[in-house]
Amino acid sequence: MSKENDTPAGRPRGSARPGYSFDVKLWKVSKTGRKSRPWRLRWVVAGQVHGDTFTTSALAESRRSELWQAMNRRGEAFEIESGLPESEVRAAAEAATAADVKPPLRWFEFCRRYVSGRWRTSAVKSREGMADGLAAVTLAMVKRGDGAPDDESLRLAFRWEVVPANAGQEPPAALKAAYDWLTTADRPLSDMADAEVFEGVVYRVSYKLDGTPAAGDTYMRRRRALNAALEHAVATGDLPENPLQRTRRKRVGTNDVVDHRVLVNAVRARQLLAAVSYVGSWDRCRGRRLVAFYAVLYYAGLPAG
């Protein structure tokens, strides 16, 4: 076949951006002496020759048609170095960028990595606090929907899986459904930056499963565990900042009623002061001081008015 340029006249001309050119000459498909890829297509961009070989004539003609349409129907400039139309260069760059973008780190996987790195060097109580705190937070970091396991099952499944010794093992049958839900419905770690999601995280740290406020020690232990994990996420670049540093525990009201039967009334106060005065049987000076001290305490506790 002839190698001469058969590009139709009238293709759009103009000034291409640096590295590109509209000066493209497309040759016809020719046959080579090769056995594996005997069909060859060549074209020239700004005087630089480019080419490719194909196993069949049909493939070569198809590729030639693609280049012809880019030249004449779409009026694209070609990159001089690669010889490719601008649309193909752009698509290749976008594909390369997409390949470099890592999928978002999810909460469950983050916890497994974090706990695994600290388990061996942590004391037993530290391990317990770490697992309990992150398990509580997990209830806010998993999406809910139809068929979602109950909170207790999710919590137990998390605590089983987060132990490094259980890595790679099948969860117990009773926890299988909760484990599957955790590994498929957990949120990305970056959702911690969402105010609504983080409000749920703070709630789980502050309250028990039955909805009652957690004890102060429990709250502080969970908060320390969460804070350490989030500080690690910031250090590794998985979070831009630690959102826990902006929050404080909300004061929780109580419906408890004071039982006045256990309060110190006037009669009991006199009896207590009389008992304290007995110290004077062996140290009169100390006895007087104690009576005065407890009398002031009682007086300070009396209601005003």
Side-chain angles (χ1 to χ4, degrees), residues 13-305:
R13 298 287 177 177
S15 56
R17 62 193 183 96
Y20 287 80
S21 175
F22 287 112
D23 182 14
V24 182
K25 297 181 177 62
L26 181 61
W27 293 351
K28 291 183 177 180
V29 174
S30 61
K31 193 169 185 179
T32 68
R34 298 180 180 179
K35 293 183 178 181
S36 58
R37 300 172 66 90
W39 300 95
R40 180 174 61 190
L41 173 65
R42 293 195 298 173
W43 65 99
V44 182
V45 180
Q48 186 168 330
V49 179
H50 299 277
D52 198 359
T53 57
F54 303 86
T55 55
T56 66
S57 174
L59 291 175
E61 291 291 350
S62 176
R63 178 54 176 160
R64 187 178 188 282
S65 176
E66 292 174 354
L67 297 178
W68 185 91
Q69 292 185 45
M71 291 168 54
N72 296 281
R73 292 194 176 179
R74 298 194 297 270
E76 294 185 36
F78 280 52
E79 186 180 47
I80 298 173
E81 182 179 356
S82 67
L84 298 178
E86 188 171 3
S87 61
E88 294 186 11
V89 175
R90 186 168 55 251
E94 291 174 355
T97 301
D100 292 338
V101 175
K102 297 181 180 179
L105 179 61
R106 306 193 72 82
W107 169 252
F108 199 17
E109 180 60 26
F110 166 75
C111 289
R112 280 191 286 199
R113 295 182 189 177
Y114 172 74
V115 173
S116 177
R118 281 155 180 73
W119 195 262
R120 181 180 300 179
T121 57
S122 298
V124 174
K125 287 189 176 180
S126 298
R127 294 175 180 177
E128 172 64 23
M130 181 166 49
D132 176 70
L134 296 180
V137 173
T138 295
L139 299 179
M141 289 297 289
V142 64
K143 299 177 182 178
R144 304 307 176 100
D146 295 337
D150 59 87
D151 288 348
E152 180 62 19
S153 296
L154 291 171
R155 179 176 172 274
L156 291 175
F158 177 89
R159 295 199 57 164
W160 180 87
E161 173 60 21
V162 82
V163 176
N166 295 331
Q169 298 185 24
E170 283 294 319
L175 301 178
K176 184 65 167 61
Y179 171 82
D180 291 342
W181 191 274
L182 281 176
T183 55
T184 56
D186 60 326
R187 296 178 178 275
L189 176 62
S190 58
D191 279 7
M192 281 283 183
D194 184 281
E196 184 176 352
V197 173
F198 196 70
E199 184 177 354
V201 169
V202 174
Y203 170 80
R204 290 298 183 175
V205 172
S206 306
Y207 287 79
K208 297 186 290 186
L209 291 180
D210 60 5
T212 58
D217 290 345
T218 301
Y219 166 77
M220 292 304 300
R221 184 176 66 251
R222 291 176 176 177
R223 185 183 176 97
R224 283 194 298 269
L226 174 60
N227 184 67
L230 294 181
E231 286 294 327
H232 174 76
V234 173
T236 56
D238 294 313
L239 281 180
E241 63 175 352
N242 181 354
L244 191 61
Q245 298 299 322
R246 305 192 304 267
T247 63
R248 293 183 178 180
R249 189 184 192 186
K250 297 180 180 179
R251 293 187 177 273
V252 181
T254 177
N255 295 324
D256 294 342
V257 178
V258 175
D259 187 352
H260 292 279
R261 293 174 299 177
V262 302
L263 295 179
V264 177
N265 53 30
V267 175
R268 289 175 179 165
R270 285 194 293 269
Q271 292 173 343
L272 289 172
L273 293 176
V276 171
S277 67
Y278 291 152
V279 176
S281 61
W282 53 273
D283 187 346
R284 180 171 298 180
C285 182
R286 185 182 182 190
R288 286 197 298 268
R289 289 198 301 269
L290 289 175
V291 170
F293 174 75
Y294 285 106
V296 170
L297 288 181
Y298 173 69
Y299 178 78
L302 293 175

